Amino acid sequence: LRPAARSRKPPAGRAAPASPRHPGGRDRRGAVRELSRRDVLRCSALGLAAATLAGCGGTPAPLAPTGRIDVHQHMIPDAYRRWLATRGVLDVGGIALPEWSATAAMASMDRTGTARALLSVSAPGVTPAATDAEAQDMARTVNDAGAELAKDHPDRFGFLATLPLPALDAAAREATRALDELGADGVILLAHSGDTYVGQPGKTDLFAELDRR
């Protein structure tokens, strides 16, 4: 039989060293582990922008161009923001509408190495409109704003047109105008407009117009 190992007791008056696995340990491995945890928490709070920071601190450094195209980037034209406010829409999903400008959007794209973005408006689109005519007018306003941005910054922006659904005839007309006259890269279809869902029957003519292209 092998003799039992003797445990060494620390001299009187001296505390036992903390275990390397103990959260309170001050050994080098423990210090690295705690530092790493703090860094992760600090970086995650910065979200996507953290990827562009050196050591999660200092001035954001632009990434090298990647040719990346962001097909889901939202714009908030001033006219659209003001109109939403008249309809009592100040937030989307509980999140306040952020300030938006083309300059700030392009700066963010530079920080993330994004070459080009296709702009569209987010929910609720033009569904807060009180009438079909109002929805059609605002859809035109939004699409004209997107076309102007694409014209002013052709190497950075394209846009996806907003359609005044659930008015199908008006939506088909605006799709034709946006694609043929404004040079839209496509259209954006919300999951539902009011109580009408995009997959419900009855939209054959609209989809046929889109499929034709």
Side-chain angles (χ1 to χ4, degrees), residues 107-133:
S108 176
M109 291 162 63
D110 289 340
R111 289 194 298 271
T112 56
T114 301
R116 196 164 184 261
L118 298 185
L119 302 173
S120 63
V121 297
S122 177
V126 296
T127 57
T131 64
D132 287 347

Side-chain angles (χ1 to χ4, degrees), residues 122-180:
S122 177
V126 296
T127 57
T131 64
D132 287 347
E134 183 183 356
Q136 293 165 34
D137 287 344
M138 184 46 56
R140 291 177 67 91
T141 297
V142 165
N143 293 336
D144 288 345
E148 194 68 22
L149 287 165
K151 179 175 128 182
D152 291 344
H153 310 280
D155 57 333
R156 304 308 303 271
F157 294 134
F159 81 101
L160 301 177
T162 292
L163 304 184
L165 289 168
L168 294 174
D169 289 343
R173 288 195 301 271
E174 184 59 19
T176 299
R177 185 185 84 93
L179 294 167
D180 293 352

Side-chain angles (χ1 to χ4, degrees), residues 48-52 61-66 68 70 73 105-115 156:
L48 179 60
T52 68
L63 295 181
T66 62
R68 181 183 298 121
D70 183 355
Q73 186 170 136
M106 287 187 287
S108 176
M109 291 162 63
D110 289 340
R111 289 194 298 271
T112 56
T114 301
R156 304 308 303 271

Side-chain angles (χ1 to χ4, degrees), residues 182-196:
L182 301 183
D185 295 283
V187 302
I188 187 76
L189 298 176
L190 300 179
H192 64 90
S193 300
D195 58 358
T196 302

